[in-house]
Every structure is written in C-alpha cells, then in structure tokens.
Amino acid sequence: MNNNYMILNEVNLGISKITLDKGALVIYDKAQKYCVSVFIYYNWPDINKIKVGHKAKIDFNEYILSENNEPALILPTQCYVEKITNDSLSFYFSFENMTETIHYMNQRNGFDIVPHSLEIKVLIDYNDAKNGSIIYEY
C-alpha cells in the first residue's frame, strides 16, 4: 500500500492511518496533525457499480480537513474512485484554490498554515476488512 499519499501545499505529509467503514473514509498524516474525512455513506451504490479497470467521478456528501482536530469544510476540484480489482479500490481527491472555498469551523477562523492545495490517493483492499471496517496503520 505504499502508493498512498497526502500532499498539502505541495509537501508530502505521508500517511499514518487510513480507516474505511460504511460511513466514511478517514486519512491521517504521519504527524497526525492533519486529517481528511470523506463521508461516503450515501455513495456505496455508485462505488459498487464501477467495473474493474474503470474510474468514476463521484461527488461525496462532505469533505472535511482537520488541523489539530479543528475542522474545515473543503470542496474537491477532482474526485474519483477506481476499481482496480474485484476486491480493491483507489480513492483520489484533489483540492485546489482552497483559500477561496474553505469554510473553517473553529473560533479563530483559520489554521496554523493557509491551505492552498491538497492531493490524496489511497488504495483499499476489501480483503483487509474486519468487523465491517478496514484500518491501515503505518
């Protein structure tokens, strides 16, 4: 699973943990300062329709970037899911010009840094599921 990455403002933050369950895909950076949550609950029928070797653009319900557990709503520029095999998926998200679309949900109305761009790619294998969820820790 070393094809996974999280790049914020053109800096690869690495990934320390990925969780996927029926409700959400959650990705943590190596330092666990940043976390991205994508709420996928309503899109499972769309994901399940993707044929092996194909990509599908899917607009998920909500995307949240958190810095030190302080959340902000973000909107993707590009988002797709690729079905690699019958048992594996790749999720890809790209966020550009974030300063124009980010909605902070904290009192200081900002983060320690100003996020301009974010790019994430994670690979998921259904064979790794336990008790209804998949958890990868690096």
Side-chain angles (χ1 to χ4, degrees):
M1 295 287 168
N2 55 0
N3 292 331
N4 300 323
Y5 56 83
M6 180 188 300
I7 301 170
L8 178 62
N9 291 349
E10 300 180 20
V11 175
N12 189 349
L13 303 178
I15 293 177
S16 67
K17 185 176 181 181
I18 300 168
T19 64
L20 174 68
D21 60 26
K22 188 175 182 179
L25 172 65
V26 183
I27 304 119
Y28 299 87
D29 77 313
K30 278 280 188 205
Q32 296 191 357
K33 180 175 183 173
Y34 295 97
C35 171
V36 174
S37 302
V38 179
F39 295 93
I40 60 175
Y41 181 81
Y42 298 105
N43 297 96
W44 280 113
D46 301 326
I47 293 169
N48 292 331
K49 288 179 190 173
I50 302 170
K51 296 185 188 308
V52 172
H54 290 86
K55 294 179 189 176
K57 180 184 182 298
I58 299 178
D59 293 320
F60 294 102
N61 190 42
E62 193 171 272
Y63 309 82
I64 295 178
L65 171 65
S66 297
E67 180 189 72
N68 298 320
N69 294 319
E70 294 182 330
L73 288 170
I74 55 176
L75 298 172
T77 307
Q78 186 177 18
C79 176
Y80 65 79
V81 178
E82 180 179 7
K83 191 162 198 175
I84 313 245
T85 68
N86 282 327
D87 296 324
S88 62
L89 297 172
S90 171
F91 288 86
Y92 176 82
F93 309 99
S94 169
F95 304 84
E96 297 172 11
N97 301 317
M98 293 175 69
T99 54
E100 298 172 15
T101 59
I102 195 166
H103 296 283
Y104 295 99
M105 296 183 286
N106 58 11
Q107 287 186 334
R108 61 188 174 118
N109 199 30
F111 285 164
D112 293 342
I113 64 155
V114 177
H116 299 287
S117 64
L118 176 64
E119 184 178 9
I120 300 167
K121 183 175 182 181
V122 294
L123 303 174
I124 303 292
D125 188 332
Y126 290 150
N127 293 315
D128 297 328
K130 293 179 184 163
N131 300 321
S133 65
I134 297 170
I135 300 173
Y136 298 117
E137 294 185 87
Y138 306 99

